[in-house]
Amino acid sequence: MSQTAAALPRKREGLKTRVSNVTWNTIFYIILAISSLTCVLPFIHIFAKSISAEAYVSANKIFLLPKGINLNAYAKVFADSSIIRSLFVSVVVTVTFTVIGMFLTICAAYALTRKELKGRKVMSFLCMFTMYFAGGTIPEYLLMNNLHMLDTWWCMILPLSFSAYNLLIMKNFFQSSIPDSLVESAVLDGAGHVRILWSIVVPLSKPINATIALFYAVGRWNAYQDALFYIKQRTDLRPLQLKLYYLIVSASESFKSEGGSTGLMTNPEVLQAACIMFATIPIICIYPFVQKYFVQGTMIGAVKG
């Protein structure tokens, strides 16, 4: 009887623990579901608007389901032959920008983690300092003009190809995930820093490399403001986002001049939704292939070493 009586409190405690775990798990799942919906629902809303009839969009009757299927906005986007050229420009600029950015970030992050580098703390501070203060748009434009980079490929590649934020994340990853003993053993075997970086550090840093590469690629793919300022004469160098921006502006002006009374004009709101989908789908197709590394790199790289 005494053993049975002693076992009852333990069973009750175990039952309370299981109930508590189920309660907290349910709360966490609800929070995650709400957070996921805040990301997914806007995308579904934009897609529904892009294929809905303009009358329903103008009346604000589109939420998640399309009404009156209409693909005129997509037809208008694909009807412009220069869209393919702009897509090619965006792909070339994004790939080149990401490669240069990754090369600079990996090399700088590795150098700043080596204890034998004198002044590395000062250099890290100077890099972080640029995150708080910037020269501004006018000085940047004057710099591009003095360097003769206006209306060239390089004005969309070089200015933003190095990010202090990405550098600090990668630096923290190297410090927390690459053991110093591993680097020291390679030095004893006669390996130089270049060999250590590309044969040891980079292969062990796939998660953070994929994460930072995605940061660079998505940031460059979505950017159009620098091209808006720096690309004036050479319309063949307009990236996809800038081309879609001009397409929406042109449609808005035509729609206003016609008073929205003609069925030949595409509602700018519908056209804008179609352009958003057209520019977003390439990135969405790439993300699943780096999702595993992206999650690992975000969690590990955010830990201060």
Side-chain angles (χ1 to χ4, degrees):
M1 291 295 292
S2 60
Q3 294 179 353
T4 305
L8 288 176
R10 290 196 295 268
K11 291 182 179 180
R12 291 174 182 174
E13 290 294 331
L15 180 60
K16 290 182 180 179
T17 302
R18 288 194 295 270
V19 172
S20 178
N21 291 337
V22 170
T23 302
W24 283 110
N25 287 338
T26 303
I27 294 175
F28 289 147
Y29 282 129
I30 293 175
I31 294 175
L32 289 175
I34 295 175
S35 302
S36 300
L37 289 176
T38 58
C39 298
V40 175
L41 291 182
F43 185 80
I44 297 176
H45 172 70
I46 292 297
F47 175 72
K49 185 183 292 186
S50 68
I51 62 174
S52 297
E54 298 178 9
Y56 292 104
V57 176
S58 300
N60 294 325
K61 294 184 178 180
I62 305 300
F63 181 55
L64 295 178
L65 297 178
K67 296 182 180 180
I69 302 300
N70 186 0
L71 301 179
N72 289 341
Y74 288 98
K76 188 176 182 64
V77 171
F78 286 102
D80 192 343
S81 59
S82 60
I83 290 291
I84 304 301
R85 169 67 184 180
S86 297
L87 179 61
F88 170 76
V89 172
S90 289
V91 171
V92 172
V93 170
T94 301
V95 172
T96 308
F97 175 87
T98 303
V99 171
I100 294 177
M102 288 299 298
F103 176 79
L104 296 176
T105 304
I106 291 174
C107 293
Y110 174 76
L112 293 177
T113 57
R114 306 316 319 143
K115 296 180 180 179
E116 59 269 24
L117 177 64
K118 297 181 179 180
R120 62 191 182 95
K121 293 184 178 180
V122 177
M123 296 179 188
S124 299
F125 172 77
L126 292 177
C127 292
M128 185 177 63
F129 184 81
T130 61
M131 297 173 59
Y132 299 99
F133 300 95
T137 303
I138 296 178
E140 290 177 358
Y141 182 86
L142 295 177
L143 177 62
M144 293 297 105
N145 185 38
N146 292 334
L147 294 176
H148 305 288
M149 290 173 56
L150 296 179
D151 288 309
T152 63
W153 292 84
W154 297 112
C155 69
M156 297 180 289
I157 297 176
L158 293 182
L160 301 177
S161 60
F162 179 79
S163 171
Y165 175 78
N166 294 338
L167 169 66
L168 295 178
I169 293 180
M170 185 166 289
K171 174 176 172 289
N172 290 336
F173 181 90
F174 287 167
Q175 290 177 336
S176 61
S177 302
I178 307 298
D180 291 336
S181 58
L182 186 62
V183 177
E184 292 173 358
S185 62
V187 173
L188 293 177
D189 291 337
H193 287 295
V194 176
R195 181 66 179 272
I196 295 173
L197 176 61
W198 298 112
S199 299
I200 298 177
V201 176
V202 172
L204 294 177
S205 305
K206 290 181 179 179
I208 195 63
N209 289 338
T211 302
I212 300 302
L214 188 64
F215 285 167
Y216 275 121
V218 173
R220 178 62 266 176
W221 182 267
N222 292 331
Y224 77 95
Q225 188 174 7
D226 53 350
L228 178 64
F229 294 151
Y230 304 147
I231 304 297
K232 294 298 182 181
Q233 303 296 328
R234 296 192 58 181
T235 57
D236 60 312
L237 290 183
R238 289 178 178 175
L240 178 62
Q241 288 71 21
L242 183 60
K243 182 64 180 179
L244 297 178
Y245 166 78
Y246 281 122
L247 184 63
I248 294 173
V249 171
S250 177
S252 300
E253 293 176 352
S254 300
F255 192 78
K256 291 179 180 179
S257 63
E258 295 292 336
S261 59
T262 176
L264 297 178
M265 295 295 175
T266 303
N267 189 325
E269 192 173 355
V270 180
L271 183 62
Q272 183 179 14
C275 291
I276 292 174
M277 295 299 302
F278 184 77
T280 306
I281 288 177
I283 292 295
I284 294 178
C285 294
I286 295 175
Y287 180 76
F289 296 99
V290 297
Q291 181 180 8
K292 178 179 67 175
Y293 298 115
F294 177 77
V295 175
Q296 297 176 5
T298 302
M299 296 299 296
I300 300 175
V303 178
K304 183 177 180 180

